[in-house]
Amino acid sequence: MDSIYQGDTGVELLVDCGRDIAGAVGPVLRVRAPSGAVRVFPGSLVEKDGVTRHIRYVTRAGDLDEAGVYRIQAALTLGDWTGVGRTARLAVRARFS
């Protein structure tokens, strides 16, 4: 798929945390919709090439209900550290655009 459209479901969001996060607990994606509404998507840890550094979530009905730019931050707890990663952006186009 070349573009993501408003209302799409089954879109894989795969966020690279930039370091090994094996053993992390509570992985989620914090998402700010174009309107400013904040949602939390439950994530799962993903191993690629022998390293666990990604959080994955697959969108469901209602997740991408607005056109515009979504801002996404990975959030988790790893050992004594709890926090968020850098902000990623996801452009969602209006239908028929």
Side-chain angles (χ1 to χ4, degrees):
M1 114 183 78
D2 292 334
S3 297
I4 298 170
Y5 289 91
Q6 183 178 4
D8 282 358
T9 60
V11 175
E12 179 184 47
L13 303 178
L14 190 62
V15 176
D16 185 343
C17 294
R19 63 168 288 186
D20 190 346
I21 57 170
V25 294
V28 298
L29 297 180
R30 294 183 179 176
V31 179
R32 178 171 287 175
S35 67
V38 176
R39 301 177 186 142
V40 177
F41 296 163
S44 59
L45 301 178
V46 175
E47 181 184 318
K48 292 181 90 173
D49 301 322
V51 180
T52 303
R53 57 186 276 165
H54 294 83
I55 296 177
R56 178 181 186 266
Y57 175 77
V58 178
T59 62
R60 302 174 188 158
D63 287 343
L64 302 177
D65 57 351
E66 300 176 35
V69 177
Y70 287 72
R71 288 169 174 74
I72 303 170
Q73 285 185 315
L76 54 89
T77 296
L78 186 60
D80 293 339
W81 181 86
T82 298
V84 299
R86 292 184 180 155
T87 302
R89 288 170 178 73
L90 174 69
V92 174
R93 298 173 61 119
R95 295 238 180 232
F96 302 105
S97 62

